[in-house]
Every structure is written in structure tokens, then in C-alpha cells.
Amino acid sequence: MTNRPTTSAVDFTSSRAPSIDEFALKVVFMLIVWACLLAFVNKLCQAVARKFWSYPVQITSASIPSKLPHPNPQGSAVSFDIPLMQATDEQIGAFMKFRGCETWPDEKQSRDIALRQVAHAAAEYKGFLYEERTMKWIDDHFRLRLPKLKYPYVDSHW
């Protein structure tokens, strides 16, 4: 017969050495608590960042490219040439299809909300082109050591 306590509850404040089962239970419990806590803090930080440090792209100043895929030469960026407010539905539909959104325009949305999504997609595409150009420049400059490369300057902001 052993001198174990008859209670089935785990005591988290005891100074005695825990058994293997109690230790495993405590570790699993702590991992679950930390995982939930970190997920909550992550969501909270994202919500605060969205609220205070981000803003939607203005549809009046946004533009989309007329040629898809858009040219992405070394050096300075080539600006998108069709102002979003002057673009036809066919041009916007072709751009959104190119970006992977097959359901434009969505009949359930107002035109203003749909144009905000298009402006957001255009900003994402502009960022993608800059990242692609920069990564190619980094590879050519640092790995391949090619001479006289044009630095990838950012396109003008909207």
C-alpha cells in the first residue's frame, strides 16, 4: 500500500515532488494556457495595428495597370496608367481576374466597396512588383556580383 493522497485533484502549490503523471499534466496545462494567451495577444496586436496604423487606399487616387502582367524593369518602377475612377468594368474585371479574384463585380456589394477591394488589390500588386524587383536586385548585386545595376526605387505613392 502506498501513502498517496486519495484526492484526484492536482495540487499546483504543493512543495512535494510531483509524480510523472502530475508533471505531464502540469506541462500540458501550461502549454495550453500559453498557446491561448499568445493567440489572444496576437489577435489583440493585429486589431490595434489595423485600427491605428493602417488606412484604406483612396479609390480616387488609386490606379490599375493597362498591361498585364505589368512591366517590371530594373531601376525605377513603371506607374500604373489607368486611374481607378476612369477604368471601365472590363479593365477592372481583367485586372481582378489576373489578381485571382474571379467574382468581380459582386452583385451583393455596392460599387464603392468593390472599388475599395480593387484599390487594395492594386496596392498589393504594386508591392509585389517592388518586392520582386528588389529581391532580383539583391540576388544580382550580392550573390552574382553583377556590375552597374539600377537600384529598385519605389513608385510614387498614391
Side-chain angles (χ1 to χ4, degrees), residues 4 9 16 22 26 29 34-35 39 43 45 55 61 70 76 98 103 118 122 128 130 139 142 144 155 157:
R4 289 192 148 179
R16 68 174 177 80
E22 291 173 335
K26 286 180 183 180
F29 179 73
W34 275 107
K43 293 288 184 187
C45 290
Y55 54 92
S61 59
H70 190 65
S76 295
F98 174 75
T103 60
V118 174
F128 167 76
Y130 176 71
D139 185 55
F142 292 108
L144 301 177
D155 191 18
H157 298 289

Side-chain angles (χ1 to χ4, degrees), residues 8-28:
S8 62
V10 176
D11 184 16
F12 286 98
T13 60
S14 175
S15 61
R16 68 174 177 80
S19 68
I20 297 297
D21 294 338
E22 291 173 335
F23 178 75
L25 183 64
K26 286 180 183 180
V27 168
V28 168

Side-chain angles (χ1 to χ4, degrees), residues 98-119:
F98 174 75
R99 291 298 294 155
C101 181
E102 301 291 334
T103 60
W104 196 91
D106 192 358
E107 288 79 24
K108 295 181 249 176
Q109 294 177 337
S110 69
R111 182 155 175 85
D112 185 50
I113 293 172
L115 287 178
R116 278 191 217 151
Q117 290 178 342
V118 174

Side-chain angles (χ1 to χ4, degrees), residues 59-78:
I59 60 175
T60 55
S61 59
S63 56
I64 61 174
S66 60
K67 185 178 178 185
L68 298 170
H70 190 65
N72 198 18
Q74 289 184 354
S76 295
V78 177

Side-chain angles (χ1 to χ4, degrees), residues 142-156:
F142 292 108
R143 188 177 67 88
L144 301 177
R145 307 245 184 229
L146 297 177
K148 298 183 182 178
L149 295 173
K150 294 179 181 176
Y151 186 77
Y153 289 101
V154 179
D155 191 18
S156 60

Side-chain angles (χ1 to χ4, degrees), residues 1 40 72 86:
M1 216 164 177
F40 174 74
N72 198 18
Q86 297 173 4

